[in-house]
Amino acid sequence: QVRLVESGGGLVQPGGSLRLSCAASGSIASIDAMGWYRQAPGEQRELVAVKPNIGASVYADSVKERFTVSRDNAKNTWYLQMNSLKPEDTAVYYCNVRRQHVWLPYWGQGTQVTVSS
């Protein structure tokens, strides 16, 4: 019902910045929140940030004051602005959306972020 396509990843040096995009299509009218997740090599997927349609965004402690979620409603696209990147931010980043307080049970392909010199 909903397709999510992540993009914007790449290779950056420590201290650099990237902006990831999450483009949504399909049945999106009932979305009440979106979330960014990441999965580092050998690790399980973890929640990075949640942006409700109403209310303040919530960020994992590891990315607070460095990452910011925003939304372009007209384009059905969410963004993750990542600043002051660290090697430990290296991961595949995914987005997901919540409809009627239930997160989608499937994932897109994600986008690779590599922070290295």
Side-chain angles (χ1 to χ4, degrees):
Q1 302 179 50
V2 178
R3 185 188 183 196
L4 302 173
V5 179
E6 302 93 342
S7 63
L11 174 64
V12 297
Q13 294 185 335
S17 298
L18 282 174
R19 189 175 75 160
L20 307 183
S21 298
C22 173
S25 60
S27 182
I28 62 175
S30 60
I31 293 172
D32 58 57
M34 74 83 60
W36 283 100
Y37 297 76
R38 67 186 182 187
Q39 186 168 23
E43 304 289 338
Q44 66 180 24
R45 200 188 329 262
E46 66 173 341
L47 181 65
V48 174
V50 174
K51 182 178 176 57
N53 288 1
I54 300 175
S57 297
V58 179
Y59 299 89
D61 288 342
S62 59
V63 306
K64 284 181 179 177
E65 301 184 9
R66 297 191 298 120
F67 292 10
T68 303
V69 181
S70 61
R71 179 185 184 183
D72 186 334
N73 189 61
K75 297 181 178 179
N76 302 128
T77 299
W78 290 261
Y79 304 96
L80 182 65
Q81 179 66 47
M82 306 186 296
N83 299 324
S84 302
L85 283 162
K86 305 174 181 180
E88 50 263 45
D89 295 318
T90 296
V92 178
Y93 284 72
Y94 302 87
C95 61
N96 207 335
V97 295
R98 193 176 70 193
R99 299 189 301 169
Q100 299 296 313
H101 305 283
V102 177
W103 294 97
L104 296 181
Y106 50 86
W107 303 86
Q109 294 298 307
T111 185
Q112 176 72 50
V113 173
T114 302
V115 184
S116 176
S117 298

